[in-house]
Amino acid sequence: MTTQSNQPNPRTALVLGASITGLWTARVLADHFDQVLVLDRDVLPQGPDTRAGVPQARQYHILLLRGLQILRDLFPGIEEELIAAGAVAFDVTEDVKVRSRGRWLRQYPSGMCLLSCSRILLEATLRGRLRQNPRIRFVEGVEVKGLVADSEAARVTGIRFRHRKGEEIGDETLAGDLVVDALGRRSPTPAWLTELGYAPPEETVVDAFLGYVTRHYRQPADFHPGWRMMMVTSTPPDQRRGGIIFPEENNTWVVMMSGTNKDYPPTDEEGFDAFVRSIDPEYAAAVATAEPIGKPLGYRGTESRWRHYEKLERWPERYVVLGDAFCGFNPVYGQGMTVAALSAEALGEELTRAGGRLDGVARATEQAVAKVTAGAWLLATGADLEWPGTEGKAANGPADRMARWYLDRLLASLDDDKVRAAFNEVNQLVKPATRLFAPDVALRVLARR
């Protein structure tokens, strides 16, 4: 394999998985390594197309504002490239019609603008940019089978892999100076650690048993409702259903509906249409104006799962776990891609701080990733734990109970523009959760009847 360096011992980083996490990570590592190899079991499409390794790609995805900010920093001009390809820019309050806690919120300019596009388009655009980077190379059609370590298993030195079209050949090895697991929720890292003599991590799981269904429609040409996105939120403990209509490229609407605590939306035509009507009359009227261009696609398995690698007493050098492999969130909240970006950014900061040294970076990164994960985890699991049928443990001291009571009041106060602005800053991961408890917000929340 060729490299782009004249150094006698060029450094190579291995990224396991060409997921969104893997793509963020490859871009960050290209600033620190001579060669970055991104390994994936699929043969990756050249353009925006589905692939077997990401069956959820056609489902609802959104890049939050903090993720969009990181995207702009890492890939200058890519926002304009996405818009040219059909991505839709929208203001989170002016262009989004929201029904929360049983009432429609006011629409007004916030200056907080996002992009709406399919995950398929976003991944394809990122891959296209990375393929132009001489330090990055995609190794396709390979399945990683395990880790390679030094004689004392203190440091990961590479991986074992197998070509999917030549399994009779057996495992081969590939050396790397740093290895990053971006393999997602089904990451085999706990088993791989056990093979090397390490303890697997403890896990925290919160499961609201939420399921959702997505269907694509052709956006009606003569429909001008005064919004670009509509959102009807569910409300604990009884109103378990919610729905979103949001635009994608190619004049497409994506209709997504969710049901919590096993109120799963059906995927048959009759059941799907009945579920649409149960969300809200305005929501159902909008869907009725559009022409379906695909079948309803259901998705379950939405638990939030945090593998606490940051708590392990022993950790192998030069091995990092990021993204859903570290912590996967209930996807209905749209946090995963942005937290993956924050995690890749944290890795880059630790590499910069290390000044060229690699030992110590992995453990420091796991600690840093835990910190950037904590806020999103609080938002997602806090919302899920409001439902009576949710399984999982919640901190239950007096302060925790008070915080949940306060957040419930805050969500009932989103018709106050200042409260809503603070909530959006936290929800978009641009401000910490403590912003919600600041005096200028708390006084308005607590003053409500």
Side-chain angles (χ1 to χ4, degrees):
M1 295 181 180
T2 60
T3 69
Q4 305 298 319
S5 173
N6 294 321
Q7 298 180 25
N9 296 301
R11 299 202 304 182
T12 298
L14 307 180
V15 179
L16 313 183
S19 60
I20 287 287
T21 302
L23 301 179
W24 289 123
T25 304
R27 170 60 189 86
V28 168
L29 292 179
D31 291 338
H32 300 273
F33 289 81
D34 306 292
Q35 180 173 247
V36 180
L37 303 180
V38 183
L39 293 84
D40 199 272
R41 65 197 306 273
D42 288 339
V43 175
L44 302 172
Q46 291 298 311
D49 202 355
T50 57
R51 61 188 182 96
V54 191
Q56 74 276 24
R58 297 292 293 173
Q59 299 285 356
Y60 159 76
H61 288 84
I62 191 72
L63 190 62
L64 302 179
L65 180 57
R66 185 67 190 108
L68 183 59
Q69 292 170 344
I70 295 172
L71 184 74
R72 293 167 181 154
D73 291 340
L74 294 179
F75 301 92
I78 198 171
E79 184 175 8
E80 293 75 14
E81 187 177 342
L82 288 166
I83 291 173
V88 179
F90 66 95
D91 184 296
V92 297
T93 56
E94 183 178 24
D95 298 321
V96 183
K97 186 177 178 65
V98 180
R99 184 173 182 241
S100 176
R101 301 293 169 116
R103 60 187 181 275
W104 293 102
L105 303 183
R106 189 172 78 89
Q107 292 176 249
Y108 62 93
S110 71
M112 187 178 288
C113 293
L114 302 183
L115 284 184
S116 180
C117 69
S118 68
R119 172 171 172 165
I120 293 169
L121 175 61
L122 179 60
E123 281 197 6
T125 307
L126 289 174
R127 285 196 304 267
R129 284 294 191 95
L130 296 179
R131 284 179 171 130
Q132 297 172 22
N133 191 317
R135 294 190 175 190
I136 298 173
R137 175 182 169 189
F138 289 92
V139 182
E140 305 173 38
V142 298
E143 188 166 359
V144 180
K145 308 298 288 186
L147 302 175
V148 177
D150 61 13
S151 59
E152 297 179 352
R155 175 184 295 142
V156 170
T157 59
I159 53 101
R160 292 184 290 107
F161 72 97
R162 183 172 297 185
H163 291 279
R164 299 189 71 200
K165 289 189 176 181
E167 293 191 357
E168 69 281 354
I169 299 175
D171 291 354
E172 302 178 52
T173 61
L174 181 62
D177 298 286
L178 183 75
V179 180
V180 179
D181 173 4
L183 291 171
R185 286 177 176 261
R186 296 178 179 83
S187 161
T189 286
W192 290 348
L193 289 176
T194 302
E195 291 174 2
L196 295 179
Y198 290 83
E202 64 178 78
E203 297 185 357
T204 301
V205 181
V206 175
D207 193 350
F209 298 100
L210 180 143
Y212 59 91
V213 62
T214 299
R215 192 175 195 182
H216 288 74
Y217 287 75
R218 183 169 288 107
Q219 184 173 331
D222 57 349
F223 188 63
H224 303 288
W227 49 264
R228 292 187 175 182
M229 181 181 297
M230 178 185 282
M231 179 182 300
V232 179
T233 65
S234 55
T235 304
D238 301 316
Q239 298 174 15
R240 294 183 290 170
R241 298 182 177 186
I244 300 176
I245 302 171
F246 64 100
E248 284 186 353
E249 63 275 9
N250 302 319
N251 296 315
T252 299
W253 266 358
V254 178
V255 173
M256 189 280 286
M257 300 180 297
S258 64
T260 307
N261 282 181
K262 301 183 180 180
D263 185 13
Y264 298 125
T267 56
D268 63 284
E269 294 276 350
E270 184 177 350
F272 179 90
D273 290 341
F275 205 93
V276 169
R277 293 190 295 271
S278 74
I279 299 295
D280 177 85
E282 286 194 52
Y283 182 90
V287 174
T289 66
E291 176 189 353
I293 53 176
K295 295 181 178 180
L297 302 173
Y299 191 81
R300 300 184 187 179
T302 59
E303 76 280 357
S304 294
R305 181 181 301 272
W306 187 334
R307 295 186 174 106
H308 293 284
Y309 292 116
E310 80 281 2
K311 294 183 178 180
L312 291 177
E313 294 183 4
R314 295 177 62 236
W315 185 259
E317 295 285 1
R318 306 194 183 189
Y319 186 62
V320 175
V321 181
L322 299 180
D324 284 356
F326 183 95
C327 182
F329 302 91
N330 182 338
V332 78
Y333 302 115
Q335 299 166 314
M337 295 195 299
T338 298
V339 174
L342 287 165
S343 300
E345 185 181 59
L347 171 59
E349 290 171 353
E350 293 302 329
L351 286 166
T352 298
R353 191 173 291 115
R357 300 183 305 276
L358 293 180
D359 286 349
V361 166
R363 190 170 188 85
T365 297
E366 299 306 301
Q367 301 291 329
V369 170
K371 292 179 181 178
V372 302
T373 297
W377 176 265
L378 175 66
L379 290 173
T381 59
D384 283 346
L385 286 165
E386 288 192 84
W387 297 97
T390 296
E391 291 184 1
K393 60 182 181 180
N396 206 33
D400 303 300
R401 292 194 296 272
M402 178 63 74
R404 287 197 292 273
W405 172 86
Y406 173 80
L407 289 174
D408 184 63
R409 287 185 65 98
L410 183 142
L411 291 172
S413 304
L414 293 182
D415 54 348
D416 182 311
D417 292 351
K418 291 189 177 180
V419 174
R420 188 178 179 190
F423 175 77
N424 283 340
E425 288 176 333
V426 174
N427 197 44
Q428 296 294 328
L429 302 184
V430 296
K431 291 287 182 69
T434 52
R435 174 72 184 101
L436 300 179
F437 300 89
D440 63 319
V441 178
L443 289 174
R444 303 180 78 90
V445 170
L446 297 176
R448 294 294 295 264
R449 288 183 179 271

